[in-house]
Amino acid sequence: MTDRLIGERYQLASILGQGGMGQVWTAYDRRLDRRVAVKLLRPDKVAGPGTVAEELRRRFVRECRVTAQVDHPGLVTVHDAGDDGDELFLVMGHVEGSNLADHLVEHSPYPWQWAVAVAAQLCSVLSAVHAVPIVHRDLKPRNVMVRPDGTVLVLDLGVASVMDTDTTRLTSTGTPIGSPAYMAPEQAMGGAVGPGTDLYALGVLLYELLSGNVPFAGSTALGVLHRHLYEPPAPVRRTRPEIPHALEAVLLHLLAKDPQDRPDSAQAVYEALAPLLPRQGGSPAGPLDPTRPFLRPQAPWPDRATAPQTPPQPPAAPRPDIPGAVDEARELLDQGRLTQAVDILGGILPAAAAEHGEHSPVVRSLRKQYAATLMDDGQYRRALPELRRLAEEFPAGDAQSLRFRYDAAQCLEQLGEPAAALAEYRSLLPLFENHYANPDPGLPLEVRRRIAHLLLSMGDRASAHDTLVRLLFDADRLHGPNHPLPSEIRRTLQWLGQVR
């Protein structure tokens, strides 16, 4: 037991592991008398030039808040998050068991039935988190735990998202954030990530379980990423002919270079693996057997992406106190309690519309605050229709309408819909370049930057390169060569030149 107390509550005991992003400790929760796991992160160790520490802290707390709302047995429980001095901390439930990397070493060669069981459980987790939507970004064996009852738990949900900031895709040492051996091509190229990014990492993980090695290895990170981009994986049945053809087909589908060529969803991958899962009536082979949960088959949750999501409604009242509710929401926002503020704003909107009219300035102002708070809370699926409704409140081409459409395009990007986001950005760009509709000269450059990253994520590296070259010329002219934007563009172009 050490003397260090984190967050005035968690006493660090012993270190469990460490990596480029921080350390993981066993700790003691002095308030509730229980063991926990505490992850300590040093933003200055992974943040690139121009990254603002306070912005990282804000993103970290927001991501932890969003991920803590995902209720799934395959996710480690998040208890607390915050900052302590120069470090960010994340408090999680203490998990008994073994990480998947160590489990593979202890049980090599890994039975293919075990590999199917692990992959299916991971599909169940990914199906739930992608519906939020959240992208893990760093799925690998050391971020997966196998518990004594055979269930699989995913760690570090949301943490990689925080460190992969919008201002730079590289660390201060010039290497990509994440684990190169498990990194999808679009993530390596600095493009927008989506559910397909996690499915590619799942394919790499499954390949390693079946073959004992990752599909693409090398002596340098750049060499590994080059192989991800251009080389096909060696067939696993070449060395293990007992592996079913159907399993190898699923594996190759997951490892497609183009995100559009991968499975549509984690649910679809689960359905493809389901016929290969252990049948009911069998008995586990021993401790930490990942086939155990499938003696009572579990499947991913139903797809909630299209399910209606409405905020809780307040109790009915003869005359709702709209100003009082707005004041309460503002106070909650000042305290950083976004989820409660969202519920209050969403709950008061129908009453405000009934009293003042759907198109009144009062309702419009409430809806703007509601949409902005949803975005700050990471609830992009709920923010999108509100932003579209707001955009329609103003004439086409009006500066406010364009800004709401821009925010809606960002939601589409975050929701893993790159084609729709790209189309919206492209339609907005000529309007933003009209200085009468947009007084901010830097905004068209930001739209072009987002277009380039979306092109990268969709595999169109040639168009992305041309877009970035033209953008660099204009960014240098507007901001000067030492501004963070042209510096980032140069790093991306240099990266493109190395892997082309």
Side-chain angles (χ1 to χ4, degrees):
M1 186 78 68
T2 72
D3 294 327
R4 184 172 179 188
L5 199 63
I6 299 294
E8 301 180 350
R9 176 175 176 178
Y10 308 103
Q11 189 169 6
L12 299 184
S14 59
I15 191 166
L16 287 173
Q18 58 185 340
M21 292 171 63
Q23 300 175 328
V24 180
W25 290 74
T26 56
Y28 180 75
D29 184 346
R30 293 173 58 170
R31 185 177 301 169
L32 297 179
D33 191 26
R34 62 179 175 181
R35 283 183 299 163
V36 293
V38 174
K39 181 151 194 169
L40 299 176
L41 303 172
R42 288 293 301 269
D44 58 295
K45 297 297 184 184
V46 294
T51 299
V52 181
E54 286 304 314
E55 172 66 8
L56 274 177
R57 294 177 193 276
R58 186 188 70 81
R59 287 168 58 93
F60 176 77
V61 173
R62 185 191 71 184
E63 291 289 337
C64 290
R65 182 186 294 115
V66 173
T67 56
Q69 295 173 4
V70 187
D71 182 19
H72 191 279
L75 289 171
V76 67
T77 304
V78 175
H79 296 312
D80 198 4
D83 62 86
D84 188 274
D86 293 331
E87 294 177 303
L88 307 174
F89 69 84
L90 176 66
V91 182
M92 305 163 286
H94 187 273
V95 180
E96 299 287 346
S98 173
N99 74 59
L100 188 57
D102 293 337
H103 194 248
L104 174 60
V105 171
E106 294 169 3
H107 298 87
S108 183
Y110 216 75
W112 69 260
Q113 295 88 345
W114 284 25
V116 172
V118 168
Q121 291 190 66
L122 292 176
C123 286
S124 181
V125 178
L126 293 176
S127 183
V129 301
H130 288 167
V132 174
I134 298 170
V135 180
H136 190 288
R137 301 168 186 253
D138 197 21
L139 186 65
K140 58 186 178 183
R142 293 210 173 273
N143 280 338
V144 177
M145 295 287 293
V146 183
R147 301 181 67 180
D149 64 353
T151 55
V152 165
L153 289 180
V154 174
L155 312 177
D156 274 2
L157 183 62
V159 172
S161 174
V162 176
M163 297 307 176
D164 187 7
T165 68
D166 288 334
T167 56
T168 179
R169 302 285 175 173
L170 304 179
T171 67
S172 56
T173 59
T175 57
I177 293 172
S179 305
Y182 304 89
M183 191 175 288
E186 68 273 15
Q187 187 178 11
M189 297 300 296
V193 300
T197 307
D198 285 345
L199 295 183
Y200 185 91
L202 174 64
V204 176
L205 185 150
L206 178 58
Y207 189 101
E208 185 176 13
L209 294 181
L210 292 171
S211 70
N213 298 293
V214 292
F216 306 112
S219 57
T220 65
L222 183 61
V224 172
L225 297 176
H226 185 276
R227 297 187 67 192
H228 276 291
L229 287 166
Y230 297 108
E231 293 187 17
V236 292
R237 295 191 75 255
R238 183 180 298 168
T239 55
R240 294 191 63 186
E242 75 276 14
I243 292 173
H245 287 277
L247 179 55
E248 188 173 61
V250 172
L251 178 60
L252 295 177
H253 199 186
L254 289 167
L255 291 175
K257 308 295 186 186
D258 188 336
Q260 308 300 318
D261 294 335
R262 296 175 204 149
D264 292 334
S265 65
Q267 176 80 31
V269 181
Y270 184 93
E271 297 301 332
L273 292 172
L276 304 171
L277 289 169
R279 303 297 181 187
Q280 286 181 278
S283 59
L288 278 71
D289 181 351
T291 65
R292 185 189 302 268
F294 295 97
L295 299 177
R296 295 181 179 179
Q298 71 175 36
W301 293 351
D303 185 5
R304 299 184 300 167
T306 56
Q309 300 183 51
T310 56
Q313 301 297 314
R319 290 186 59 82
D321 182 9
I322 297 173
V326 172
D327 289 342
E328 183 181 0
R330 286 174 178 164
E331 184 177 341
L332 290 167
L333 288 172
D334 289 341
Q335 298 171 7
R337 296 158 68 182
L338 275 68
T339 301
Q340 288 177 264
V342 160
D343 291 343
I344 289 174
L345 291 169
I348 205 67
L349 264 172
E355 182 171 331
H356 298 281
E358 182 65 44
H359 303 289
S360 67
V362 171
V363 171
R364 186 180 296 166
S365 177
L366 273 175
R367 199 174 299 283
K368 286 169 64 175
Q369 184 64 69
Y370 180 47
T373 308
L374 284 169
M375 287 191 72
D376 285 343
D377 203 30
Q379 299 190 49
Y380 302 106
R381 198 174 302 283
R382 290 172 63 182
L384 182 58
E386 301 297 333
L387 292 165
R388 285 173 167 165
R389 184 181 299 184
L390 284 165
E392 293 172 357
E393 290 281 315
F394 300 89
D398 181 270
Q400 293 191 70
S401 176
L402 296 181
R403 194 71 201 204
F404 290 131
R405 287 178 58 191
Y406 175 68
D407 289 343
Q410 292 184 71
C411 288
L412 290 169
E413 192 174 347
Q414 293 292 333
L415 288 167
E417 300 182 28
L422 180 61
E424 185 66 5
Y425 284 134
R426 280 175 163 166
S427 69
L428 285 169
L429 183 57
L431 301 173
F432 277 142
E433 289 175 336
N434 178 354
H435 68 277
Y436 295 106
N438 169 48
D440 180 3
L443 190 54
L445 301 186
E446 173 61 18
V447 173
R448 290 163 63 186
R449 184 188 73 85
R450 290 183 177 273
I451 288 173
H453 284 176
L454 286 167
L455 288 168
L456 282 175
S457 74
M458 298 171 68
D460 191 351
R461 291 190 288 276
S463 297
H465 180 272
D466 292 344
T467 301
L468 288 168
V469 168
R470 292 192 296 270
L471 177 58
L472 178 59
F473 176 82
D474 293 335
D476 273 340
R477 187 173 57 178
L478 179 64
H479 296 300
N482 297 322
H483 188 273
L485 178 59
S487 298
E488 180 206 343
I489 297 168
R490 285 191 181 88
R491 287 195 299 271
T492 306
L493 285 170
Q494 182 182 15
W495 183 261
L496 272 170
Q498 289 176 319
V499 298
R500 290 177 75 182

